[in-house]
Amino acid sequence: MTATSTSGVAAGAGTAPRTREAARARGRRVAAYLWYVSGRLAGAVVSLLAVLVTSFFLFRIIPGDPVRTMTHGRQVSAEQLAALRRQFGLDLPLWQQFTDYCGKALTGDFGTSYQFHAPVGELIAEKVPATLLLTGVAVVVYSVFGLWLGTRAAWRHGGLGDRLTTGVALTLWSVPSFWLGLLLIMTFSVGAGPLPGLFPTGGMESGDATGFAHAVDVAHHMVLPVLTLVAVGYAQTLLVMRSSLLDEMGGDYLTTARAKGLRDDLVRRRHAVPNALLPTVTMVFINLGHVAAGSILVETVFSWPGLGGLFYQALSVPDLPLVQGLFVVFAGAMILMNLLADLLYPLLDPRVGR
């Protein structure tokens, strides 16, 4: 056997163990990730079961009798009140009401609304598009805006731009959304001084437009509520991103990257920002959970026909099946978004889940 063939055999013999070791390492990483995913899924299921229990008992401590509220202002006999309580199952023992509720809720049946006399699922499905449109647009706008401004503020921290943007963000973050909405209505809907009213005071549409004109009308109605949500939401995103990036800026890996001759913007985009994204990713996904929940205060102030306004109506009765169904939807959306954020973490930082 020649020297060349001998070295080739030796190289092949050395390559095979390395290949097997690499395959075993990949297998361990996959197993660790699957174990991580199974743990997060189990936690999400437990959280959802806790939400079902909480939604049942929480709203039963609200003062008021739903049957008497529904019949307020009308002459109703005691027999009629008793019949209504039997109809809605309010005469059953609490434990039986709870077991019936959990059994139906697990199949997607949240019962019939007391005040609307319609299935809760249908009422929620009817309001979902309006909420997704309003809060979806707002979340996308203020997430992008907040990430961009937060990155620039942290990278040039201490400068005039950083002080200005941080001061504005802190002010807006401390402002109640309903108060800001009312202020925008008074200024841009009612009009202030020489400034005329430019936007509708509430609602989603005027009701007399079709086609492209209808789309423009809806967009016109969206301006003030979206502006309210963006003004409050972008501030939170900016401050979290700025804080996370400031924590990363003292890292040795950034000094090493600069020593290799990388431009400052490349160091920021390729190294600093990806490592600072984990806390911000959590917050962005939580905000995406708010897309399903909507904003109760903002939707109520602007009379927006979404899930937030529906929740306010249900809570005022209280309409127990509708309140419980909406609470489960809101909390379920948050649990789902948190789960997706947890599953995304290992892709952003391979150390997570090991």
Side-chain angles (χ1 to χ4, degrees):
M1 181 179 294
T2 64
T4 302
S5 61
T6 302
S7 62
V9 171
T15 302
R18 287 197 297 270
T19 303
R20 288 194 295 269
E21 181 60 30
R24 284 195 292 268
R26 285 195 298 270
R28 287 193 295 269
R29 288 196 297 270
V30 171
Y33 182 70
L34 292 177
W35 180 255
Y36 172 81
V37 170
S38 63
R40 293 301 180 272
L41 288 173
V45 171
V46 171
S47 298
L48 189 57
L49 292 176
V51 166
L52 285 177
V53 176
T54 303
S55 66
F56 179 82
F57 291 103
L58 177 63
F59 299 107
R60 276 166 171 72
I61 65 176
I62 299 175
D65 184 348
V67 173
R68 289 194 175 277
T69 303
M70 286 185 290
T71 58
H72 179 70
R74 289 180 288 176
Q75 293 292 334
V76 182
S77 64
E79 291 77 10
Q80 290 173 317
L81 290 175
L84 286 173
R85 289 192 175 91
R86 284 195 301 271
Q87 177 183 346
F88 294 119
L90 297 174
D91 62 327
L92 298 175
L94 190 62
W95 67 267
Q96 189 172 349
Q97 293 183 43
F98 175 68
T99 55
D100 290 346
Y101 164 72
C102 289
K104 292 179 179 179
L106 291 175
T107 63
D109 180 9
F110 293 103
T112 302
S113 168
Y114 295 165
Q115 56 182 325
F116 296 106
H117 304 287
V120 169
E122 293 181 5
L123 292 171
I124 293 176
E126 181 183 343
K127 300 294 184 179
V128 163
T131 288
L132 292 181
L133 178 63
L134 177 66
T135 54
V137 170
V139 167
V140 170
V141 171
Y142 72 63
S143 295
V144 173
F145 195 47
L147 287 172
W148 178 66
L149 282 179
T151 301
R152 293 181 65 85
W155 204 249
R156 295 176 174 84
H157 64 282
L160 177 61
D162 176 34
R163 292 197 299 269
L164 181 61
T165 56
T166 303
V168 172
L170 286 171
T171 302
L172 290 175
W173 199 5
S174 61
V175 170
S177 58
F178 73 91
W179 182 84
L180 181 60
L182 291 173
L183 189 64
L184 291 177
I185 289 175
M186 289 188 293
T187 305
F188 297 105
S189 294
V190 179
L195 184 66
L198 301 175
F199 299 101
T201 57
M204 182 177 175
E205 56 188 0
S206 300
D208 54 356
T210 58
F212 180 73
H214 178 260
V216 172
D217 182 42
V218 172
H220 190 217
H221 283 75
M222 285 178 59
V223 171
L224 293 186
V226 166
L227 183 60
T228 303
L229 292 172
V230 168
V232 177
Y234 105 92
Q236 180 186 19
T237 310
L238 182 151
L239 293 171
V240 171
M241 185 61 194
R242 179 182 180 277
S243 176
S244 300
L245 189 53
L246 284 175
D247 289 340
E248 296 293 331
M249 287 178 62
D252 294 336
Y253 68 96
L254 296 184
T255 304
T256 303
R258 291 190 182 95
K260 291 180 179 179
L262 291 181
R263 297 194 310 273
D264 199 54
D265 62 331
L266 289 179
V267 173
R268 182 182 71 245
R269 288 188 288 108
R270 293 183 180 178
H271 298 280
V273 171
N275 287 323
L277 277 177
L278 286 183
T280 314
V281 164
T282 301
M283 190 193 57
V284 168
F285 273 89
I286 289 175
N287 290 336
L288 288 175
H290 289 157
V291 171
S295 175
I296 298 174
L297 295 177
V298 172
E299 289 190 11
T300 302
V301 167
F302 288 96
S303 302
W304 190 264
L307 294 178
L310 185 63
F311 186 79
Y312 177 80
Q313 289 179 278
L315 201 58
S316 62
V317 172
D319 189 339
L320 294 179
L322 186 53
V323 168
Q324 291 168 175
L326 287 167
F327 183 82
V328 171
V329 170
F330 296 165
M334 299 298 296
I335 292 171
L336 176 61
M337 290 299 108
N338 273 306
L339 175 63
L340 292 178
D342 287 340
L343 299 184
L344 184 61
Y345 280 170
L347 303 179
L348 296 174
D349 187 348
R351 295 171 297 179
V352 177
R354 289 187 177 181

